[in-house]
Amino acid sequence: MRIAILSRNPKLYSTRRLQEAGIALGHEVDIVDTMHCYMDITSNRPSVRYKGKPLPKYDAVIPRIGASVTFYGTSVVRQFEMMGTYSVNESVAISRSRDKLRSLQLLSRKGIGMPRTGFANHPDKIDDLIKNVGGAPVVIKLLEGTQGIGVVLAETSKTAEAIIEAFMGLNANILVQEYIKEAGGADIRCLVVGGKVIAAMKRQAAPGEFRSNLHRGGSASIVRLSPEERKTAVDAAKTMGLGMAGVDILRSNHGPVVMEVNSSPGLEGIEKATGKDVATMVIEHIVKNAKPNKTKTQGKG
Ligand code: ADP
Ligand code: MG
């Protein structure tokens, strides 16, 4: 097969591993810089051009679209879809997953567990917004944050009000969420590929920190999932319409709750923590599923 990894940086661990695994299984794997692709969208034979030439006809693309380039990145993925190329994650599903509120709204409609969450831009009654998710302590998040930046724990309602007011002053959209204290600063990253959890790790926040992101100094270890956790992760990826997803779950005293669903999950942390060859499993999933014009809009909203 001919596979393209859409990635801005060929040196990134995930990009390198996916390329290596594809080549080892006998495929041709190119790394294509998403931001350097350009497209002729008027032609009735859609194509993607790159460095002065049209790209060859790929059987499959693996989008690794960074959060800061979602808009252009998803339009490149969409162009491949127009050409009938199979994409591990569809453009619509990537866009959905980038907006935390949209994701949670979709998950909630399917009855998937999540922390009690409120959403606001300019609430007139901040105290009511806080009360509505169960009162302080609460977690306040910027709608489009990533790697733990823009996620704050407010221990008291006074602090929560002050933070919400500050974000309001910046005209930011925010989520106010029940703080899952019993998770003890740990979350579980479930890597779902093709409707199965193929690897899972527990991430523990550094001492004195509640955010378990590895970028924030969290440490990873292998974890055994309960059947309910496994089902929650698989259902979340399916609801989002993602073929490959990193589903982040907190262990709350009302069962597993989904915090977010990531459409370009990193491979380094999870391969190292679990010792599993995740990259090969992703390529095997592609080989099984990549049929021309197989990409269709999955999930709704
Ligand atoms: P980001 O997209 O920036 O990673 P997250 O929503 O994943 O933002 O939050 C970052 C981290 O903060 C999570 O991995 C988790 O450890 C912690 N966290 C987030 N929301 C909650 C919550 N409601 N209760 C407890 N911990 C939380
Ligand atoms: Mg996160």
Side-chain angles (χ1 to χ4, degrees):
M1 273 177 79
R2 212 159 181 182
I3 302 171
I5 302 171
L6 302 178
S7 167
R8 298 192 69 183
N9 186 350
K11 294 200 187 83
L12 289 178
Y13 179 93
S14 306
T15 311
R16 276 196 290 110
R17 285 284 301 123
L18 288 164
Q19 186 180 39
E20 259 169 40
I23 292 171
L25 289 174
H27 305 291
E28 241 178 278
V29 187
D30 296 340
I31 296 170
V32 174
D33 184 340
T34 330
M35 301 311 283
H36 286 246
C37 290
Y38 50 103
M39 304 161 278
D40 175 2
I41 56 164
T42 50
S43 147
N44 57 10
R45 279 200 303 154
S47 66
V48 176
R49 298 184 68 81
Y50 189 63
K51 300 187 173 168
K53 286 193 288 242
L55 280 172
K57 179 95 185 78
Y58 289 110
D59 300 299
V61 292
I62 308 176
R64 306 285 311 171
I65 309 294
S68 59
V69 296
T70 302
F71 182 79
Y72 195 75
T74 50
S75 68
V76 173
V77 177
R78 199 177 309 116
Q79 185 74 358
F80 279 106
E81 290 164 10
M82 300 299 141
M83 295 159 63
T85 306
Y86 169 84
S87 179
V88 177
N89 280 333
E90 297 166 21
S91 55
V92 230
I94 299 170
S95 306
R96 264 184 215 127
S97 74
R98 287 295 150 81
D99 175 337
K100 289 188 190 201
L101 175 68
R102 184 176 177 186
S103 307
L104 292 176
Q105 284 175 316
L106 294 169
L107 298 177
S108 120
R109 184 172 63 187
K110 289 283 177 194
I112 294 168
M114 66 183 63
R116 279 176 73 181
T117 304
F119 169 65
N121 179 280
H122 255 83
D124 296 311
K125 296 285 283 170
I126 296 181
D127 53 338
D128 187 56
L129 179 70
I130 298 168
K131 216 164 62 211
N132 213 28
V133 299
V138 289
V139 176
I140 302 163
K141 301 184 188 184
L142 288 177
L143 199 56
E144 295 195 18
T146 182
Q147 303 183 346
I149 296 162
V151 178
V152 202
L153 172 61
E155 309 263 9
T156 67
S157 28
K158 274 281 155 268
T159 331
E161 280 183 37
I163 295 166
I164 294 169
E165 273 166 7
F167 281 158
M168 267 167 59
L170 298 171
N171 238 327
N173 291 315
I174 49 170
L175 291 179
V176 181
Q177 204 163 62
E178 162 196 13
Y179 173 49
I180 310 293
K181 188 165 192 281
E182 60 275 24
D187 77 345
I188 294 171
R189 159 61 59 97
C190 305
L191 196 73
V192 182
V193 174
K196 281 201 194 86
V197 179
I198 61 160
M201 66 174 165
K202 181 172 168 173
R203 295 177 299 198
Q204 181 68 52
E209 171 62 75
F210 81 104
R211 297 166 300 176
S212 58
N213 303 67
L214 301 182
H215 286 99
R216 305 264 73 76
S219 54
S221 60
I222 195 159
V223 68
R224 245 191 114 74
L225 299 183
S226 71
E228 193 191 4
E229 287 163 350
R230 200 170 281 277
K231 180 173 178 346
T232 301
V234 168
D235 288 351
K238 181 163 179 232
T239 303
M240 301 295 294
L242 290 167
M244 174 179 184
V247 181
D248 294 343
I249 286 180
L250 293 172
R251 287 181 162 161
S252 86
N253 50 24
H254 48 94
V257 291
V258 174
M259 235 176 354
E260 64 173 345
V261 184
N262 199 308
S263 54
S264 290
L267 301 193
E268 185 167 15
I270 200 143
E271 283 199 336
K272 291 189 172 158
T274 63
K276 288 194 177 167
D277 184 350
V278 168
T280 296
M281 291 191 258
V282 173
I283 303 291
E284 285 168 350
H285 166 73
I286 293 171
V287 171
K288 212 157 77 194
N289 290 277
K291 309 263 164 15
N293 300 309
K294 179 108 192 273
T295 300
K296 63 170 186 353
T297 303
Q298 294 168 22
K300 290 200 181 75

